[in-house]
Amino acid sequence: MADTGEGKKEESDYKRLHSFPLIRHTDMPEEMRVEAMELCVTACEKYATNNESAAKMIKEMMDKKFGSSWHVVIGEAFGFEITHEVKNLLYMFFGGSLAVCVWKCS
Amino acid sequence: MPAKAGDKQRQGQSGPSGGKPAPPKPAKPAYKRRDEDVSTEAVEVVDEAGNILVKPPDQLELTEAELKEEITRVLTANNPQAPQNIIRYSFKDGLYKPISHVDQMAIHFSLNGNLIPKDSDEGRRQSIKLSTAAEKAPVETSATAPEEAAIKDEERTEDTQAAGEGKAEESGTAEAAEAADAEEPPPPAVKERKLANQFNFIDRPSWTPKYPVRDRACQSEPTPCKTLSDDINQWVIHDAYVEELRKREESKEKEKPKAQSDEINKISKAARIVERMVNQNTFDGIAQDFKYFEDESDEFRDQKGTLLPLWKFCYKGTRRLAVTAISWNPKYKDLFAVGYGSYNFMNQGKGMLLLYTMKNPSFPEYIFRTESGIMCLDFHNDYPYLVAVGFYDGNVAIYNLKKATSQPSYKSNANSGKHTEPVWQVKWQKDDMDNNLNFFSVSSDGRIVSWTLVKNELVHTDIIKLSVEGTTMQGSEELQLQTLGCGTSFDFHKKIDYLFLVGTEDGKIYKCSKCYSSQFLDVFEAHNMAVDSVSWNPYHSKVFISCSSDWTVKIWDHTIRTPMFVFDLNSAVGDVAWSPYSSTVFAAVTTDGKAHVFDLNVNKYEALCTQLVVNKMKSRITHIQFNPVYPVVVIGGERGFVVTLKLSPNLRKMPKEKKGQEVKKGPEVEIPKLDKLLNLVREPENKTEE
């Protein structure tokens, strides 16, 4: 019991520690990157249980701000191969277990 | 057959009366057969009518029965010469077929007629034409028409007996009209009204010029794209986070130990102490002299004193530069700043600012190289690490000794209102109302400028412009030319904040106030040549001293226009300074390498000490400064050397202490001391208040 309790505690600690947004790969310019990152964090926190709604929110906001057309994938485990316009890709981790990939390609 | 021909003739004669000719029947064979029954020989027979018939010889002989036989003859319209059995190949059926219908019509004569129906447009038109043309020859046409009609009728009836047409009249009139048309000359052209209807219109096409078309196509470059492929799982994410956290911790650790990067730097403090110790050991004698030596021979010198040379400060970079400014640090009494530049107009080079300490005579504590020669400098009273510096090119700068950079912390430039001439003197002032640091500068361009350090920038304010003749406005009404005097030195009053003195290149000294920017409070015709230095007495509030290249040093009371004391030193005086410990002692240096120390209390007319400081006669001495605490003066010369000299006791005479009173007496003692002297000089009427 104690072990599992500790395990849980560790897990929550780890979650807390690892929940900051960590950029895995991006080639966006600085301000776009900052904005996109904040947007992703907001969306993921708002729709913590529903990846689709979070992705929808991110995609719509990005379309509005930076032009069409953006694509967003949120998930915990996936593989992908995408073609993106240069300087319009953001690939980041968030919340310890979520990965968000945002790119633009018309 | 002549008989038949005769019958026909008879019938023809009775035609006009009868009208319609009866179709000739071969109904009278009786006569003819009888005629033909006769033998072949031509036999004349007389028939019923009395005609004589001639029977040809080869007439066919027939019996009477045969003669009576009626033979029916039928006239058909068939063309006897038309073929009756035309066989043609039919491609549709693929075999020879007889043509059922054979064309029986044989055209004997064809004529293209030009009959026009009367009711048609053209017919009507022509009839109108005729009616208008008929005015010219109406009679002829009417006369000829019926005649021709009659003739035509006759001819036609004779010709067309068998035909029997019923439309004689119509055709007659048509023919008549046709004849009339043919015979009459065409009527002259008559203008007739055009009838407009949907069929009667004129086409008038026109074609606009056709513009040539050109095809233009353009295609934008496709946006550059790149592909990215990756695969993520929970462990990838976890690893990434762990890595990131590790990196962050490492960078934090790195930040902490920063200072000691160089090995020498680690022991810099220790090295410095050791250096000083070495110096002290080297210059041990001097150090001892500085501290303890008091020249006892002064007692025998009849109040004259000497200057004992102590350390010499030299730095290899200053060999070609002249000492242009010296100033002691207010806080660290052993630290003094020396500014290097050049007084030579033609030979301007770079400058240096060195700070020496008496504890280390072999190497300066701080070294600053400057673009332009330094002409003056000043330490801030409250912030002893701030040094204000004036340059030969007119700029001013502030150096911050706490910072390790070799550049000034703040520097003026052409935008921010630098002087256009060398800055001869700078002096720090009290902080202004916004607690901003500020200092004044005076320059040969005639401006006295106050520089304020506002938000890391030097902001300048022109305080006063020195103009000739004591007023600022000069010249004609439109031209507001100001010939500006060239300020060469100034000094602010120690007590009265707004009052300051400016010495100019033409020998005048202006008494100015910070409050009035256009007027001087007073003008002193001080010297004949440029005023090199002017300085208020540290104790007495009214007395100041000035020196000039005209070999004189003068002491003034600022309320009186004439000097109190005048000293002629036989050589251009470079600098003069009051001593900090006595109101009556001052020192002057001259260009012949001598230093003069005066004590007015002791000797009003002569120097107590005149000493050759520099070995070489060529180089001049430029500046002198008293150490605020120690009985030491620093003298700088033209060749970049700096020496310190200790004042012998005679030069530092203090008023005798009275028993029971405090040892050191400050201004209260000094002022009356000087006053006494002044009173001797002044005329009895002008008694000044304190």
Side-chain angles (χ1 to χ4, degrees), chain A residues 14 18 20 22 76-86 91 93-94 96-97 99, chain B residues 223-234 236-238 240-242 244-245 248:
Chain A
Y14 145 83
H18 294 219
F20 60 89
L22 171 63
E76 292 183 1
F78 54 90
F80 60 88
E81 159 124 12
I82 56 166
T83 305
H84 67 94
E85 283 180 17
V86 173
Y91 176 30
F93 300 146
F94 172 71
S97 62
Chain B
T223 46
C225 287
K226 261 198 319 199
T227 55
L228 171 76
S229 67
D230 201 5
D231 181 48
I232 59 137
N233 302 293
Q234 288 299 299
V236 171
I237 299 179
H238 176 82
Y241 273 111
V242 164
E244 177 74 19
L245 283 173
R248 287 192 184 176

Side-chain angles (χ1 to χ4, degrees), chain B residues 151-201:
Chain B
I151 296 169
K152 289 288 178 182
D153 277 345
E154 274 188 29
E155 288 176 332
R156 205 192 17 76
T157 47
E158 286 179 7
D159 287 338
T160 58
Q161 246 176 350
E165 293 179 31
K167 299 178 183 175
E169 288 180 351
E170 275 190 30
S171 54
T173 51
E175 283 176 4
E178 185 189 335
D181 273 345
E183 289 210 36
E184 280 183 15
V190 178
K191 278 191 183 171
E192 55 183 44
R193 218 171 15 91
K194 261 204 189 144
L195 305 164
N197 57 20
Q198 71 218 64
F199 303 107
N200 182 20
F201 58 89

